[in-house]
Amino acid sequence: MKEFPKKLLIKLAEREKNSALRSLPNLNKLIDFTSNDYLGFAKNEAIYAHTFQLLLNKGISENGSTGSRLLSGNHSLYLELEAQLTKCYKSKSALVFNSGYDANIGFFSTVPQRNDILFYDENIHASIRDGIKMGNAKSYKFKHNDLEDLKSKYEAERSRTSKETAFYLITESVFSMDGDSPDLKDFAEFCTKENIFLIVDEAHAIGVLGKKGEGLVQALGLEKEVFARIITFGKALGSHGAAILGNQQLKSYLINFARSFIYTTGLPPHSIATIISASNFLVSSEGRAQDKVLKKNISFFKNRLKSLKIEKHFITSNSAIHCCIIPGNENIKSVSKKLFDEGFNVKAILSPTVSEGEERLRFCIHSYNTTEEIGLMLQVLKTYL
C-alpha cells in the first residue's frame, strides 16, 4: 500500500514553501495573549465547584450522553440550560449545539433555501462559509462592514428575483480575526426596512459586550430585529458548545433539518452543567467584577498603543481582540517568535487564514492579564515594528 497520496504531499509542500504550514502548538507557561478565555472562566475554581455541586444535587453520575439528543442524549440539564438561555438573552427559544462550528454549518446549510439569496461580510468566519457552501442558496459577499456595498448588491439582486425569494444577511458582532464590529443598528434598520432575515454571530461578544455580557445585539436592544443569534460557550464562558437563539419555529426547523444537530452524539451532562454554572457566574457580582477588570485592561491596552505611537499598525477595536498588521508570513512568524522568547504567547495569523498582505498578530486581552504585562509586551513589540 502507498504511504500517502502524491497530490496531498504536493499541497503540504506548497504550504511549507509559503511559510503557512500549520502544526499543533505545545502548551506553555507563557503570559497568555492568545486564548479566548477573556474572563478567566476556564480556570475559575468557583465555576468548577458549582458544576460539581449541580451534578451532585441532581443525582447525575453519567459520564457520557449515550446518544444524540433525538435518541437518548436529551437529558434534563439540556432543558434547564435552554430555558436559562431564553430568559437571559430575551429570546423566544434556544437550541444548544456541540460547538459553534456545528451550529453554523447546521444553520447555513439548511435554513436558506434554493433560489434564496444570502449576503455575507467578506471577513465572515470560516465555519459560516463552510455552512453556506453546503447549502443551496445563492450567496454574495460584501465589503467588510460596508452597508453601502451591501445595499448596492441587494438592489441588483432584488430587481431580478421573485416575491418568493427570501433574503438573508449574516454578520458578526465582533469579528474573530479583526476584533472590530459593524454598525449593527444601521444594518438592522436596513434589514427591517427590506424584510431581510438578519443573523448575527455573537461568539466573541458574549461575556465581553453589554452590561451583563449579553452581547452586542441585546446591548443595542435589537433582539426583535434579529432573526437568529449564534452564541458560543467556549470563549468568554470558558466551557464548550454553542446555541442558536430565535423563535420557536426556527428551533423546530433546526431540530428536524440541521444535520450537525441530528446526527451527532449530544454533549455529556458535565459539559451542560459547566455552561449553566458559567452562565450563572457571568451575571453574579464576582463575574461582573471580572468584566470590569477586562474592560479596564482593554482601555489600558488601547491607551498604551497611543502613548507608544504604534496604534497605526492596529485595526480599530473596542473588543478584547486587537490585531497588529505585519504583512508576510515569514515576517509575522518572526515577530511572534521574538515575543515568545520574551515570555509572551501571541498568536501569528498567517495567510491563507487571512488575506495575503493582511497577516497579523492577534492579541486577546484577559481579565487576568496585568497592566504591567500588557505594558511590557507592547514595549517589546514596538522594537520590532
Side-chain angles (χ1 to χ4, degrees):
M1 187 175 92
K2 294 182 179 179
E3 290 187 2
F4 201 68
K6 185 177 180 181
K7 291 179 181 178
L8 304 188
L9 285 172
I10 292 172
K11 296 187 76 170
L12 283 173
E14 288 176 351
R15 280 284 172 92
E16 189 166 14
K17 179 181 178 182
N18 295 327
S19 300
L21 186 66
R22 298 184 178 97
S23 61
L24 294 175
N26 293 322
L27 293 177
N28 55 68
K29 299 296 183 180
L30 301 180
I31 297 171
D32 179 16
F33 286 104
T34 290
S35 80
N36 296 321
D37 186 24
Y38 305 122
L39 296 170
F41 281 16
K43 53 180 74 68
N44 188 286
E45 293 182 2
I47 293 174
Y48 177 84
H50 186 277
T51 299
F52 178 78
Q53 192 62 50
L54 178 61
L55 293 170
L56 190 65
N57 291 345
K58 292 184 176 295
I60 297 174
S61 58
E62 297 92 342
N63 286 325
S65 61
T66 76
S68 74
R69 290 188 64 185
L70 289 170
L71 295 176
S72 59
N74 196 42
H75 45 81
S76 61
L77 285 175
Y78 264 118
L79 308 182
E80 181 177 334
L81 173 59
E82 289 175 346
Q84 180 189 52
L85 295 174
T86 298
K87 181 179 179 181
C88 288
Y89 296 102
K90 298 181 180 180
S91 176
K92 298 293 184 182
S93 74
L95 184 64
V96 173
F97 283 72
N98 284 16
S99 70
Y101 191 94
D102 284 338
N104 279 329
I105 63 172
F107 183 98
F108 291 99
S109 66
T110 59
V111 173
Q113 300 292 293
R114 189 177 302 278
N115 297 323
D116 287 344
I117 307 292
L118 186 147
F119 298 102
Y120 64 95
D121 189 289
E122 64 181 352
N123 287 0
I124 209 73
H125 194 268
S127 60
I128 296 173
R129 289 176 179 265
D130 287 353
I132 292 170
K133 289 178 183 178
M134 295 167 66
N136 295 312
K138 297 178 182 178
S139 61
Y140 302 92
K141 66 181 177 182
F142 59 93
K143 294 178 182 178
H144 183 48
N145 288 338
D146 191 331
L147 181 57
E148 294 307 312
D149 188 50
L150 167 66
K151 287 179 178 179
S152 67
K153 288 179 168 57
Y154 167 75
E155 289 167 4
E157 290 304 312
R158 175 83 278 179
S159 65
R160 52 175 176 255
T161 55
S162 67
K163 292 182 178 180
E164 288 73 32
T165 299
F167 286 83
Y168 295 87
L169 166 64
I170 171 63
T171 188
E172 298 178 37
S173 53
V174 173
F175 281 85
S176 62
M177 287 298 138
D178 300 79
D180 60 351
S181 300
D183 189 331
L184 206 52
K185 277 191 174 181
D186 284 353
F187 274 86
E189 182 180 339
F190 172 69
C191 289
T192 298
K193 177 184 175 183
E194 300 296 339
N195 293 315
I196 298 171
F197 293 103
L198 175 60
I199 308 108
V200 182
D201 187 316
E202 294 247 64
H204 291 275
I206 297 301
V208 178
L209 301 183
K211 291 182 179 179
K212 294 185 177 180
E214 65 271 58
L216 187 59
V217 170
Q218 200 166 329
L220 296 175
L222 299 175
E223 303 96 318
K224 294 181 180 179
E225 276 64 59
V226 175
F227 175 59
R229 282 175 277 170
I230 297 98
I231 65 173
T232 61
F233 312 120
K235 297 174 176 63
L237 288 182
S239 44
H240 191 69
I244 294 178
L245 309 176
N247 61 29
Q248 289 290 345
Q249 292 95 333
L250 176 61
K251 180 173 182 176
S252 178
Y253 184 85
L254 292 169
I255 290 171
N256 281 275
F257 293 98
R259 295 171 70 86
S260 61
F261 176 86
I262 297 168
Y263 298 111
T264 191
T265 299
L267 291 170
H270 184 275
S271 294
I272 302 300
T274 302
I275 299 168
I276 292 172
S277 299
S279 297
N280 287 331
F281 193 84
L282 179 65
V283 297
S284 70
S285 59
E286 294 174 89
R288 292 298 81 216
Q290 291 301 310
D291 177 68
K292 287 181 181 178
V293 176
L294 173 62
K295 287 180 169 57
K296 177 184 174 183
N297 284 347
I298 293 171
S299 179
F300 179 84
F301 184 96
K302 294 177 67 176
N303 289 334
R304 193 70 176 136
L305 292 182
K306 292 179 181 178
S307 65
L308 291 172
K309 298 181 180 180
I310 57 174
E311 71 270 23
K312 66 181 180 180
H313 298 282
F314 282 76
I315 297 172
T316 302
S317 168
N318 293 316
S319 72
I321 301 170
H322 294 263
C323 295
C324 178
I325 304 298
I326 302 177
N329 280 348
E330 281 294 342
N331 292 335
I332 199 69
K333 287 168 68 176
S334 174
V335 177
S336 178
K337 175 62 165 55
K338 289 170 181 175
L339 288 171
F340 183 95
D341 291 341
E342 294 288 341
F344 302 105
N345 189 4
V346 182
K347 182 66 175 177
I349 307 299
L350 313 175
S351 57
T353 299
V354 293
S355 299
E356 188 173 350
E358 293 293 317
E359 296 82 5
R360 64 198 60 184
L361 291 174
R362 181 177 182 265
F363 297 88
C364 289
I365 312 302
H366 311 94
S367 61
Y368 52 84
N369 292 136
T370 67
T371 54
E372 289 78 13
E373 290 170 348
I374 295 170
L376 179 58
M377 179 272 298
L378 290 177
Q379 186 69 51
V380 172
L381 173 67
K382 182 180 180 179
T383 63
Y384 300 115
L385 294 179

